[in-house]
Amino acid sequence: MGIENGGSESEDATTKIHLVFTYGTLKRGFGNHSLLQDLMRTGDAVFKGTYQTVQKYPLVCGPYMVPFLLNFPGVPGSRTVSGELYAVSARGLVPIDELEGTTQGHYERLPIEVVVVGPNDDGGEKRVWAEAYYAHGNYAAEMWRKNGNRGLGEYSDKEAKGYVKRKDRPQHVSFLDQIHVFVTSSTSSSVDY
């Protein structure tokens, strides 16, 4: 099973194509992009282009410079967020959900409207509904406060320099516990805006 460049959707749950908006470490050139490269090699993902959110959203960094998109559209201090769009098969979505910890309460995969950046084939604006991985609602407000109610427009090389891959983080502490320590610590965020 592969994804055709047209990216048509099927009603069959095993062949359904999901449009996934990536804004952080899954983007080309960043720490977890190898996962998408593997999925592209197996035909379970296709790069669709560079997109940005239609609405403004808070994009912040948490512990280990992990990026978090917060599901607070239009909140003061947020920005339109740049990223990449991929068509991903249902089978390809499984390892992405695993990386994002959707069953562990790290992230939630929810709808988002995005628009292509730059020209496209039909010459007009191309808006689509996709899915994005948002910080879980259980800690999103605290993450926003911890970042001074200011968001990034893009997760860039500057932020990625401080990113620590999961395998290099303390293994005896859960990621949710690491997030809790981050949002409750009295030190300021390590992100400069």
Side-chain angles (χ1 to χ4, degrees), residues 157-176:
D157 290 335
K158 177 183 174 186
E159 292 79 32
K161 285 180 185 174
Y163 176 71
V164 178
K165 285 191 169 197
R166 184 185 301 171
K167 66 179 180 60
D168 298 324
R169 299 177 200 155
Q171 299 299 306
H172 63 283
V173 180
S174 77
F175 190 51
L176 286 178

Side-chain angles (χ1 to χ4, degrees), residues 4 8 15 26-27 50-51 62 73 79 81 86 118 121-122 124-125 130 144 152 162 164 167:
E4 301 301 322
S8 63
T15 60
L26 284 169
K27 295 187 307 182
T50 303
Y51 281 69
R79 304 177 187 185
V81 176
Y86 292 85
D121 292 343
D122 63 12
E125 232 184 1
W144 185 227
L152 301 165
V164 178
K167 66 179 180 60

